[in-house]
Amino acid sequence: MQASNHTHTKINNKNFILKEIIINKCITRIDLAKFTGLTKMTVTNIVNELKSDGLILESDEFDNQNVGRNPIMLCINPAKTVIGVYLNRDYAEIFAGDMSGNIYDDTRTYLRDETTDSINKKISSCIDKLLKKYKNVLGIGISAIGPLDSENGIILDPPNFFGIKNYCIKEFLQNEYDLPVYVENDMNTSAIAEKYWGFAGDIPDYIYLGATNGIGAGIVMGGHLSRTIGEIGHVSIDINGAKCRCGNNGCLEMYASIPHNIDPESHEEKCRYLAHGVITLINLFDPGTIFLGHRIPLLGEDAPDKIKRYIKNRYISKSSNDVEIKFSKFGRRSPKYGAVAIFVERHIF
Ligand SMILES: [Zn+2]
């Protein structure tokens, strides 16, 4: 019992330190001890482990100018690569990324009348090319439409997706490449991208709200992804409304979904409907911050302010401060960064 607790603490401390290095880009050992509250000895031991894992480098290992002048910084090793896949109804994007939040060599392949086999072929031909170029690949992270079984990496039965059901994408890629593969829905991955490379940083409780032709939310509580499904798009806002694809009536996504060619005249109305979703999220989870992403930035720069105006005096929150509502750092590109982020979150942490 004691041994397992000890191991658990050690893993937590290692995760904690690596997360601080990712968030700060480069950091000294002294600041690491200060920010994490861990002893200098613990920091030194864990830093040595991360160095021997090849996940971090000291600044003098790649920046000669630094030698002898400045304190040595600990930085993420940019040579360690993650292959990312963003799979949605219209296309798959395949790319390489690193733990510093950079994305390289992305290829988009459009999907038309597909089967699981044809999608597998399209994705694997792009991955083959990346594997020729990148030698230090840690594994594969996938940001996909849901609903999905993330533990087993199965995309279950997404509506309007060529009639495909129970698509075992994780099993296929693991067998094909013998690399670790992690699959998560694109709202959850986007929420995690915000933690490492976006605007969330050390904020413990926040929500990522994304809208395209569907609407969903990734909920982070205490710095970790909540297992709560964020199907906010299927909260009814009109019990007498038309029937939704989920069987319910008057679901939020029937009013607030955002096509990619959104008419500017409907920006205001979309913000008003999205505000209803935001109110529900605040009443259920009381987050400090809500990040808006996917296609919500298409509603104009002032969309967060409009939504803030619509929610004013319409929710109950135990926090004394107002909930912050702002755009996510990566907007429409959030799910791509999310694919790399979910790999980091699941594999390393
Ligand atoms: Zn619905």
Side-chain angles (χ1 to χ4, degrees), residues 231 233-236 243-254:
E231 291 290 356
H234 296 285
V235 167
S236 177
K243 202 162 182 112
C244 175
R245 59 187 171 88
C246 73
N248 196 3
N249 291 78
C251 288
L252 178 68
E253 77 169 35
M254 300 172 73

Side-chain angles (χ1 to χ4, degrees), residues 53-72:
D53 293 344
L55 294 174
I56 63 170
L57 293 174
E58 293 192 350
S59 49
D60 61 355
E61 289 176 77
F62 59 94
D63 178 6
N64 292 328
Q65 314 231 315
N66 212 16
V67 176
R69 283 200 285 135
N70 299 312
I72 289 174

Side-chain angles (χ1 to χ4, degrees), residues 7-24:
T7 313
H8 197 233
T9 310
K10 201 175 153 210
I11 293 169
N12 279 343
N13 287 343
K14 196 170 171 181
N15 296 349
F16 200 17
I17 286 186
L18 186 60
K19 185 181 145 226
E20 283 304 319
I21 301 173
I22 292 176
I23 290 174
N24 290 286

